[in-house]
Amino acid sequence: MYGRGFTLIELMVVLLIAGIVLAAGVPALQDIASEQQLVSAGNQFFHSVNLTRSQALRHGQRAEMAPADGRDWQSGWQVRVGQRVLMRQAPLPKGIAVAYTQGGEVLGYHPGGQPLTRGSWYFSSDSRSRVVVINFLGRVRICNPHRDSHCSQAASD
Protein backbone atom coordinates (compact mmCIF):
# COMPACT_ATOMS: atom_id res chain seq x y z
CA MET A 1 0.00 0.00 0.00
CA TYR A 2 1.29 3.43 -0.97
CA GLY A 3 1.40 6.23 1.61
CA ARG A 4 -0.30 9.51 0.98
CA GLY A 5 2.00 12.50 0.44
CA PHE A 6 4.32 14.08 -2.03
CA THR A 7 7.35 12.70 -3.76
CA LEU A 8 10.72 14.39 -3.50
CA ILE A 9 10.50 15.52 -7.13
CA GLU A 10 7.11 17.14 -6.54
CA LEU A 11 8.43 19.04 -3.51
CA MET A 12 11.49 20.21 -5.46
CA VAL A 13 9.30 21.50 -8.30
CA VAL A 14 7.10 23.41 -5.83
CA LEU A 15 10.19 24.94 -4.15
CA LEU A 16 11.60 25.92 -7.54
CA ILE A 17 8.37 27.67 -8.52
CA ALA A 18 8.17 29.42 -5.13
CA GLY A 19 11.79 30.59 -5.53
CA ILE A 20 11.09 32.04 -8.98
CA VAL A 21 7.98 33.86 -7.73
CA LEU A 22 9.87 35.30 -4.74
CA ALA A 23 12.82 36.36 -6.91
CA ALA A 24 10.44 38.30 -9.15
CA GLY A 25 8.31 39.67 -6.31
CA VAL A 26 10.87 40.95 -3.78
CA PRO A 27 12.24 43.81 -5.94
CA ALA A 28 8.68 44.92 -6.70
CA LEU A 29 7.89 44.94 -2.97
CA GLN A 30 11.01 47.00 -2.28
CA ASP A 31 9.90 49.55 -4.89
CA ILE A 32 6.45 49.73 -3.31
CA ALA A 33 7.95 50.21 0.16
CA SER A 34 10.26 52.97 -1.11
CA GLU A 35 7.35 54.72 -2.85
CA GLN A 36 5.24 54.51 0.33
CA GLN A 37 8.02 56.06 2.44
CA LEU A 38 8.23 58.99 0.03
CA VAL A 39 4.46 59.48 -0.06
CA SER A 40 4.32 59.27 3.73
CA ALA A 41 7.11 61.86 4.15
CA GLY A 42 5.36 64.29 1.80
CA ASN A 43 2.01 63.75 3.51
CA GLN A 44 3.50 64.27 6.97
CA PHE A 45 5.04 67.56 5.83
CA PHE A 46 1.75 68.61 4.20
CA HIS A 47 -0.23 67.94 7.39
CA SER A 48 2.37 69.70 9.53
CA VAL A 49 2.07 72.81 7.34
CA ASN A 50 -1.71 72.71 7.76
CA LEU A 51 -1.24 72.36 11.53
CA THR A 52 1.09 75.37 11.54
CA ARG A 53 -1.49 77.52 9.76
CA SER A 54 -4.38 76.37 11.94
CA GLN A 55 -2.40 77.06 15.11
CA ALA A 56 -1.54 80.58 13.92
CA LEU A 57 -5.25 81.23 13.38
CA ARG A 58 -6.27 79.56 16.63
CA HIS A 59 -3.79 81.35 18.90
CA GLY A 60 -3.77 84.66 17.02
CA GLN A 61 0.03 84.53 16.96
CA ARG A 62 2.72 83.84 14.44
CA ALA A 63 3.34 80.10 14.09
CA GLU A 64 6.47 78.56 12.57
CA MET A 65 7.62 75.21 11.32
CA ALA A 66 11.37 74.66 11.16
CA PRO A 67 13.85 71.81 10.80
CA ALA A 68 14.48 70.01 14.09
CA ASP A 69 18.23 70.62 13.88
CA GLY A 70 17.78 74.16 12.54
CA ARG A 71 19.28 73.35 9.11
CA ASP A 72 17.99 70.23 7.42
CA TRP A 73 14.37 69.14 6.89
CA GLN A 74 15.56 65.52 6.71
CA SER A 75 16.29 65.72 10.45
CA GLY A 76 12.57 66.11 11.10
CA TRP A 77 10.79 69.31 12.05
CA GLN A 78 8.86 71.02 14.77
CA VAL A 79 5.87 73.35 14.88
CA ARG A 80 6.04 76.28 17.31
CA VAL A 81 3.79 79.09 18.43
CA GLY A 82 6.01 81.58 20.21
CA GLN A 83 8.40 79.52 22.35
CA ARG A 84 5.95 76.64 22.77
CA VAL A 85 6.65 73.52 20.69
CA LEU A 86 3.35 71.97 19.60
CA MET A 87 4.63 69.08 17.50
CA ARG A 88 7.85 67.26 16.70
CA GLN A 89 8.30 65.10 13.62
CA ALA A 90 10.84 62.28 13.64
CA PRO A 91 13.67 62.27 11.08
CA LEU A 92 12.81 61.08 7.59
CA PRO A 93 13.91 57.61 6.46
CA LYS A 94 17.34 57.35 4.86
CA GLY A 95 17.27 57.89 1.12
CA ILE A 96 14.67 60.67 1.13
CA ALA A 97 16.15 64.03 0.17
CA VAL A 98 14.46 67.39 0.76
CA ALA A 99 15.17 70.49 -1.30
CA TYR A 100 13.30 73.79 -1.28
CA THR A 101 12.99 77.11 -3.03
CA GLN A 102 14.56 80.28 -1.63
CA GLY A 103 13.26 81.12 1.82
CA GLY A 104 12.27 77.55 2.59
CA GLU A 105 14.60 77.18 5.56
CA VAL A 106 11.69 78.07 7.87
CA LEU A 107 8.02 78.39 7.06
CA GLY A 108 5.32 80.05 9.04
CA TYR A 109 2.04 81.89 9.12
CA HIS A 110 0.92 85.28 10.41
CA PRO A 111 -1.98 85.34 12.90
CA GLY A 112 -4.44 85.90 10.04
CA GLY A 113 -3.28 82.78 8.17
CA GLN A 114 -1.13 84.52 5.55
CA PRO A 115 2.15 82.75 4.87
CA LEU A 116 5.48 84.24 5.91
CA THR A 117 7.04 82.38 3.00
CA ARG A 118 5.61 80.78 -0.06
CA GLY A 119 7.45 78.23 -2.12
CA SER A 120 8.00 74.58 -2.83
CA TRP A 121 9.56 71.74 -0.88
CA TYR A 122 10.77 68.81 -2.99
CA PHE A 123 10.86 65.32 -1.51
CA SER A 124 12.75 62.80 -3.64
CA SER A 125 13.96 59.24 -3.50
CA ASP A 126 15.58 57.51 -6.47
CA SER A 127 13.62 58.73 -9.51
CA ARG A 128 10.41 59.46 -7.58
CA SER A 129 9.38 62.77 -6.10
CA ARG A 130 6.60 64.70 -4.38
CA VAL A 131 6.29 68.45 -4.06
CA VAL A 132 4.58 70.41 -1.30
CA VAL A 133 3.61 73.87 -2.54
CA ILE A 134 2.43 76.89 -0.52
CA ASN A 135 0.88 79.67 -2.61
CA PHE A 136 0.64 83.40 -1.81
CA LEU A 137 -2.67 82.89 0.03
CA GLY A 138 -1.18 80.22 2.28
CA ARG A 139 -2.97 77.32 0.62
CA VAL A 140 -0.85 74.19 0.76
CA ARG A 141 -1.05 71.31 -1.68
CA ILE A 142 0.95 68.22 -2.48
CA CYS A 143 1.52 66.86 -5.95
CA ASN A 144 3.48 64.43 -8.07
CA PRO A 145 5.56 66.31 -10.68
CA HIS A 146 5.60 63.25 -12.96
CA ARG A 147 1.81 63.43 -13.29
CA ASP A 148 1.05 67.15 -12.84
CA SER A 149 2.78 69.65 -15.14
CA HIS A 150 1.82 72.60 -12.86
CA CYS A 151 3.11 70.89 -9.76
CA SER A 152 5.81 73.28 -8.58
CA GLN A 153 4.37 76.60 -9.75
CA ALA A 154 3.94 78.32 -6.39
CA ALA A 155 4.05 81.79 -7.91
CA SER A 156 1.02 81.35 -10.14
CA ASP A 157 -1.28 79.80 -7.50
Side-chain angles (χ1 to χ4, degrees):
M1 186 187 285
Y2 291 103
R4 295 184 183 204
F6 300 104
T7 66
L8 182 59
I9 294 176
E10 290 171 332
L11 288 174
M12 289 177 67
V13 168
V14 168
L15 287 176
L16 176 68
I17 292 171
I20 291 171
V21 168
L22 282 175
V26 168
L29 287 176
Q30 289 173 335
D31 285 346
I32 290 170
S34 177
E35 174 79 15
Q36 268 315 110
Q37 285 183 331
L38 179 65
V39 168
S40 177
N43 286 340
Q44 289 168 346
F45 193 86
F46 171 83
H47 291 298
S48 296
V49 173
N50 278 326
L51 174 68
T52 305
R53 185 174 191 208
S54 69
Q55 293 302 310
L57 291 166
R58 177 178 181 210
H59 294 285
Q61 296 180 23
R62 178 176 161 160
E64 291 185 346
M65 185 171 124
D69 67 358
R71 302 181 323 267
D72 188 4
W73 290 103
Q74 290 162 285
S75 69
W77 51 84
Q78 57 186 8
V79 175
R80 294 186 311 261
V81 174
Q83 296 300 317
R84 191 169 148 223
V85 176
L86 301 174
M87 187 209 98
R88 284 191 168 94
Q89 175 63 43
L92 297 177
K94 293 186 188 301
I96 296 179
V98 182
Y100 47 85
T101 56
Q102 185 175 356
E105 299 84 12
V106 174
L107 66 87
Y109 286 91
H110 292 287
Q114 302 85 7
L116 298 172
T117 306
R118 65 182 175 136
S120 302
W121 286 259
Y122 303 88
F123 292 78
S124 60
S125 174
D126 301 325
S127 63
R128 301 173 195 84
S129 60
R130 292 292 181 276
V131 181
V132 176
V133 180
I134 300 175
N135 70 7
F136 71 97
L137 295 173
R139 177 180 167 258
V140 62
R141 64 186 171 98
I142 187 167
C143 54
N144 181 345
H146 298 293
R147 295 185 189 147
D148 182 1
S149 61
H150 304 291
C151 189
S152 62
Q153 295 180 351
S156 63
D157 278 353

